[in-house]
Amino acid sequence: MIKVVKFGGSSLANAEQFTKVGNIIRADESRRYVVPSAPGKRFSGDTKVTDMLYHCYELAEAGQAFTKQLNQIRERYNEIIRGLKLDFSLTEDFEVIKKQFLSKAGSMYAASRGEYLNGKIMAKYLGYDFVDAANVIRFDGDGNFDPDTTQKLLSQRLAASERAVVPGFYGAMANGTVVTFSRGGSDVTGSLVARAVNANLYENWTDVSGFLVADPRVVKNPEIIHTITYTELRELSYMGASVLHEEAIFPVRQAGIPINIKNTNAPDEDGTMIVESTCRIPAYTITGIAGKKGFVAVNIEKDMMNSEVGFGRKVLGAFEDNGISFEHMPSGIDTMTIFVHQDEFEEKEQKVIADIQRATHPDSIELESDLALIAVVGRGMKSTRGTAGRLFSALAHAHINVKMIDQGSSELNIIIGVRNDDFEGAINAIYDIFVLARL
Ligand code: ASP
């Protein structure tokens, strides 16, 4: 049995958190490959080491003094080293970093040092091998991630180590230039390591006890999802739910490795299992609810629209030509509605409308702004009659006007559009009926 364990920044913010992590790893022999993030916030209002590095490098790049800021970063690591009573020094590493900053090695190099240094401490603390991600996670000359070379390099290198630490978030081009994934990218590294060693499980340790049914900023104390499929997770993440980096799903999914989201501060709790498919009956009809505010609906009307071949293509072409991606496109007999992101659309609004006018000569084009989309997702909806009925009667009771309805043919999700102002009320009404009332 091989487990790959990834720890987020808050799990490694100080020596106390490191100790919890050490205990978790030592409690299970199969936790053989460890992927750490950089130290995160120790308390609310604190600054993540990654952000300190970006800031420090900005000063270096502008030719300003940065020694004080670099020393503050160094002190974050020294605090951990002292707290763990390790006989270890990062003096030489900081000399190299300072030189690289002076020679303007780039902000990606700067940010990557957060994980690099934390990985070195972690390897020393656990007595594991340290494997620099720059040698095993490969990006091509244009800075795009190269999955095939990475899989080869990583699996070869890790086959030679019984136990190893691979820092998250970065890799390098063949010429050694460091490249990072987008923010939160240590999740991706963890997933790549899990695939490379053919792990039985990818444990992703964070500061919450799993994936929640709804956003805790909207619903008070939402329930934890015990088991979720990759497809459900994908739908929820796309609609704004965040625990795991979006791109972290693909490598393990291809290899059939489940992910377990766990809480470093409550290690005995089960957390959330993310799996390809499951025969486990979900606790509720729905698995989760997520949503986003800030959409515009562009309503186009034209008599006999339905019999006009190519009408849809012409409308969508106007959005494409202006570089705007659309989210949803419900249509009626002689109407068609396109949902787009308000911030993307606003600046190009008049140009898009003029292009639609010219291409399709509609009877009218109306815009409605400040709309929100909410996705209600669940594999349990497929086999349950009346889900939509219960959903809409809950919204009606909460006096919420539904502007748009879209149910995919997979019956895995129902997407509804409401006014931005109704967003919180709608999510709570849906949560209440399916989770609290268990209908
Ligand atoms: N340290 C990086 C960040 O703050 C990457 C990560 O934590 O996954 O985004």
Side-chain angles (χ1 to χ4, degrees):
M1 176 96 154
I2 302 177
K3 290 182 186 165
V4 169
V5 287
K6 179 262 167 180
F7 290 89
S10 58
S11 301
L12 299 166
N14 56 24
E16 195 189 334
Q17 291 298 89
F18 251 83
T19 310
K20 287 185 197 168
V21 166
N23 292 339
I24 289 167
I25 295 171
R26 291 186 192 107
D28 184 344
E29 279 266 292
S30 58
R31 294 185 174 131
R32 287 171 41 191
Y33 299 97
V34 181
V35 176
S37 283
K41 294 182 182 183
R42 293 162 293 183
F43 42 84
S44 78
D46 196 16
T47 310
K48 290 178 173 190
V49 165
T50 309
D51 291 314
M52 295 170 86
L53 284 160
Y54 278 124
H55 175 63
C56 185
Y57 184 75
E58 265 171 34
L59 296 173
E61 185 147 61
Q64 292 175 21
F66 62 88
T67 313
K68 184 172 143 227
Q69 284 73 12
L70 195 60
N71 283 340
Q72 282 167 352
I73 296 168
R74 190 167 167 184
E75 190 40 38
R76 287 287 310 261
Y77 288 103
N78 283 344
E79 184 190 313
I80 296 171
I81 294 171
R82 278 197 306 273
L84 296 175
K85 300 192 172 54
L86 294 179
D87 179 17
F88 186 62
S89 160
L90 292 172
T91 307
E92 278 175 27
D93 288 294
F94 271 95
E95 285 305 316
V96 174
I97 293 171
K98 191 171 180 177
K99 278 201 196 107
Q100 294 286 354
F101 273 36
L102 285 170
S103 61
K104 314 220 164 121
S107 68
M108 288 199 184
Y109 166 81
S112 75
R113 297 304 88 184
E115 272 70 11
Y116 171 83
L117 297 167
N118 229 20
K120 285 196 120 179
I121 299 177
M122 178 66 88
K124 175 78 183 170
Y125 177 53
L126 296 171
Y128 280 28
D129 297 340
F130 175 75
V131 174
D132 188 349
N135 301 327
V136 286
I137 306 272
R138 181 56 58 80
F139 288 80
D140 67 19
D142 297 325
N144 297 315
F145 176 59
D146 175 350
D148 297 336
T149 313
T150 298
Q151 166 70 5
K152 212 160 73 202
L153 293 172
L154 201 51
S155 54
Q156 267 167 11
R157 174 62 193 85
L158 294 181
S161 279
E162 184 69 16
R163 295 174 183 277
V165 174
V166 184
F169 189 38
Y170 73 94
M173 298 180 191
N175 68 7
T177 306
V178 168
V179 182
T180 58
F181 292 112
S182 57
R183 295 298 303 263
S186 299
D187 286 341
V188 184
T189 311
S191 184
L192 294 168
V193 171
R195 184 179 62 176
V197 300
N198 233 327
N200 302 83
L201 184 66
Y202 170 25
E203 287 182 342
N204 188 294
W205 292 80
T206 174
D207 52 9
V208 288
S209 290
F211 213 78
L212 301 170
V213 172
D215 186 340
R217 287 167 300 188
V218 177
V219 172
K220 221 167 126 198
N221 291 327
E223 294 279 328
I224 290 164
I225 302 172
H226 292 291
T227 309
I228 185 169
T229 64
Y230 287 120
T231 322
E232 288 173 317
L233 180 71
R234 178 89 188 99
E235 307 245 356
L236 289 170
S237 329
Y238 183 74
M239 284 302 275
S242 66
V243 163
L244 203 64
H245 192 292
E246 262 189 348
E247 286 156 42
I249 295 174
F250 303 108
V252 279
R253 185 175 187 180
Q254 277 166 5
I257 303 166
I259 307 175
N260 191 0
I261 309 275
K262 296 272 287 177
N263 188 349
T264 301
N265 304 315
D268 294 331
E269 288 180 15
D270 293 337
T272 300
M273 280 299 278
I274 308 168
V275 297
E276 179 62 44
S277 60
T278 175
C279 62
R280 276 187 169 221
I281 301 185
Y284 314 104
T285 310
I286 62 162
T287 303
I289 315 162
K292 285 190 214 168
K293 287 183 179 178
F295 290 94
V296 175
V298 182
N299 293 304
I300 302 153
E301 250 188 85
K302 187 177 184 190
D303 275 349
M304 306 299 285
M305 174 193 289
N306 249 8
S307 51
E308 193 176 322
V309 176
F311 189 92
R313 183 184 49 75
K314 288 178 201 156
V315 170
L316 294 182
F319 289 93
E320 187 179 347
D321 293 346
N322 287 286
I324 295 170
S325 71
F326 74 96
E327 288 291 308
H328 284 282
M329 190 183 55
S331 60
I333 304 293
D334 288 330
T335 63
M336 183 172 166
T337 305
I338 320 282
F339 275 79
V340 288
H341 286 274
Q342 195 152 336
D343 49 359
E344 254 181 61
F345 179 70
E346 249 163 13
E347 51 192 80
K348 296 177 181 162
E349 173 192 276
Q350 292 310 317
K351 172 92 175 50
V352 176
I353 293 172
D355 287 354
I356 297 174
Q357 284 282 7
R358 252 194 310 272
T360 64
H361 308 291
D363 296 335
S364 72
I365 302 180
E366 274 172 25
L367 302 182
E368 186 166 2
S369 57
D370 299 321
L371 298 176
L373 291 176
I374 297 171
V376 184
V377 175
R379 60 189 185 279
M381 300 198 302
K382 194 166 184 151
S383 44
T384 320
R385 247 180 307 151
T387 310
R390 289 195 295 281
L391 172 65
F392 293 112
S393 63
L395 293 171
H397 274 113
H399 302 287
I400 288 162
N401 181 26
V402 176
K403 300 256 169 201
M404 191 273 296
I405 305 167
D406 197 350
Q407 176 177 352
S409 53
S410 65
E411 289 183 60
L412 191 70
N413 67 14
I414 298 177
I415 295 175
I416 57 165
V418 297
R419 287 187 20 236
N420 274 349
D421 294 348
D422 284 333
F423 182 73
E424 283 82 8
I427 291 183
N428 274 290
I430 299 167
Y431 185 86
D432 285 357
I433 187 134
F434 287 111
V435 181
L436 295 185
R438 281 180 175 262
L439 284 176

